[in-house]
Amino acid sequence: MMNQLSFKPLSIVALTAFSLNIAPAFAATPTGIQDAIPVAKSLNGIKKDDGWYNLSSASKTKTVDGTPVTIAGIPGGGFPGMAPLPNVISQVSSDNDSSATFRKVSNGATGGAFPSSDSLYAGSFSGAFNVNGGKLGVFETAPVDNLANVVFQVEIGGANGYDFYQPSVGNTTTIGDASTHAAGALAVTNYFPTLNLTFSNNTTTQLTANWAELSTKGENGTTSAGGTEEPIYINLYAFQWDLSGYSNISSFNVTFDVVAHSQTYAARLTQSDTFNQVVAVPVPEPESYAMVLAGLGLVGFVARRRRHV
């Protein structure tokens, strides 16, 4: 099995020589979308790598692991996003088995995800903060044999300071520093992406990531909605699960809830049959959240500064 992403001819159109010549100029002035794009993770053993780098309705050129590629847009209904979204086969992949797909699992409270001009936009008629925008996920029906390691990356542009939906946080709540807000800190796992395993005997289990980090932020303009001019960021998150204690995994998926008006730009799923840690920040036990979140550097992930309503 190949360990490098390859470009599928049916889903990715090869760049012309002219496009390749202008790539350095594009790289010299990247946008926040490109700054926060998912990157290669060096997993050991037999590895499988799948990526979704264009979840918009329009054809886009993205630089994936240093190589510019043009990826066709995906179809889907318009605002507010209640229409079904077709399962999106991996757009760049280390093999050609088409077993990994990106899906809309469910809609949110007043809308759902649909392909907009730049991203998968979570539509909604609500203007409130932290409204459920629906559930998304990546699904793998043919994992590597003896699966032991899963890394999931997702690139999201938030709305009003939120990107993952947080059911424990009210629309008028300001969390601030998790170290001084124990209730908010203890609820952090409510909005982590979840790994769902299915075994060969059809039993299932659900796991929270062992490691989670805000890998990077890409500035993508500014807003004055809070009364002062502030940057808008697109965030790249990474999550990792150690599955070395499990066996006979027949399929799995990673699902996550986004907030209304957020924008999901890209995702990447990397798996292997050998565990090695590549995501830096360990997820603490629930009883330890209030004490250690700030010191772990996970504040950028679980308790970024919120704007007051």
Side-chain angles (χ1 to χ4, degrees):
M1 182 177 294
M2 297 173 62
N3 283 345
Q4 301 296 322
L5 286 178
S6 60
F7 306 127
K8 295 182 180 180
L10 293 179
S11 59
I12 295 183
V13 180
L15 291 181
T16 63
F18 175 77
S19 297
L20 288 172
N21 288 337
I22 66 172
F26 173 79
T29 55
T31 67
I33 297 173
Q34 183 62 49
D35 288 343
I37 204 164
V39 297
K41 294 293 186 181
S42 300
L43 271 58
N44 294 337
I46 297 175
K47 184 172 74 172
K48 184 178 180 183
D49 214 348
D50 293 280
W52 298 264
Y53 281 86
N54 181 22
L55 297 173
S56 77
S57 61
S59 177
K60 301 286 183 182
T61 298
K62 299 294 184 74
T63 301
V64 181
D65 296 344
T67 301
V69 294
T70 298
I71 307 173
I74 60 176
F79 189 88
M82 301 298 284
L85 180 74
N87 296 343
V88 183
I89 296 172
S90 177
Q91 295 166 331
V92 290
S93 178
S94 59
D95 57 27
N96 292 302
D97 67 1
S98 302
S99 64
T101 55
F102 186 101
R103 305 179 189 179
K104 177 166 74 169
V105 180
S106 61
N107 290 319
T110 62
F114 69 94
S116 68
S117 59
D118 274 330
S119 65
L120 200 62
Y121 181 81
S124 175
F125 287 109
S126 174
F129 293 1
N130 190 36
V131 172
N132 186 355
K135 185 182 293 292
L136 305 173
V138 292
F139 288 71
E140 173 60 89
T141 59
V144 298
D145 292 338
N146 303 311
L147 179 66
N149 203 354
V150 170
V151 175
F152 173 65
Q153 299 175 75
V154 61
E155 179 185 7
I156 302 180
N160 300 308
Y162 295 83
D163 34 40
F164 296 111
Y165 171 58
Q166 302 178 30
S168 62
V169 180
N171 290 335
T172 60
T173 299
T174 299
I175 293 179
D177 183 351
S179 66
T180 59
H181 293 265
L186 288 171
V188 66
T189 54
N190 289 348
Y191 60 97
F192 268 33
T194 301
L195 175 66
N196 307 286
L197 302 176
T198 299
F199 301 94
S200 56
N201 62 0
N202 291 323
T203 60
T204 61
T205 193
Q206 188 176 85
L207 301 172
T208 299
N210 301 101
W211 293 270
E213 68 181 17
L214 173 58
S215 301
T216 190
K217 301 168 69 173
E219 190 169 340
N220 202 49
T222 60
T223 179
S224 57
T228 58
E229 199 74 12
E230 297 182 10
I232 298 171
Y233 289 104
I234 296 173
N235 296 323
L236 175 64
Y237 297 101
F239 305 89
Q240 184 172 16
W241 290 263
D242 178 2
L243 302 180
S244 55
Y246 294 85
S247 60
N248 301 316
I249 298 170
S250 60
S251 64
F252 70 90
N253 62 73
V254 179
T255 58
F256 56 100
D257 296 305
V258 295
V259 298
H261 306 296
S262 65
Q263 297 176 296
T264 303
Y265 290 93
R268 187 161 177 168
L269 181 67
T270 312
Q271 54 183 297
S272 76
D273 64 353
T274 304
F275 179 76
N276 64 297
Q277 184 182 338
V278 295
V279 175
V281 183
V283 175
E285 294 299 320
E287 61 269 19
S288 303
Y289 288 150
M291 295 182 290
V292 302
L293 279 176
L296 285 173
L298 202 56
V299 171
F301 169 51
V302 300
R304 291 186 305 281
R305 180 169 57 86
R306 313 294 189 192
R307 300 188 186 94
H308 288 275
V309 177

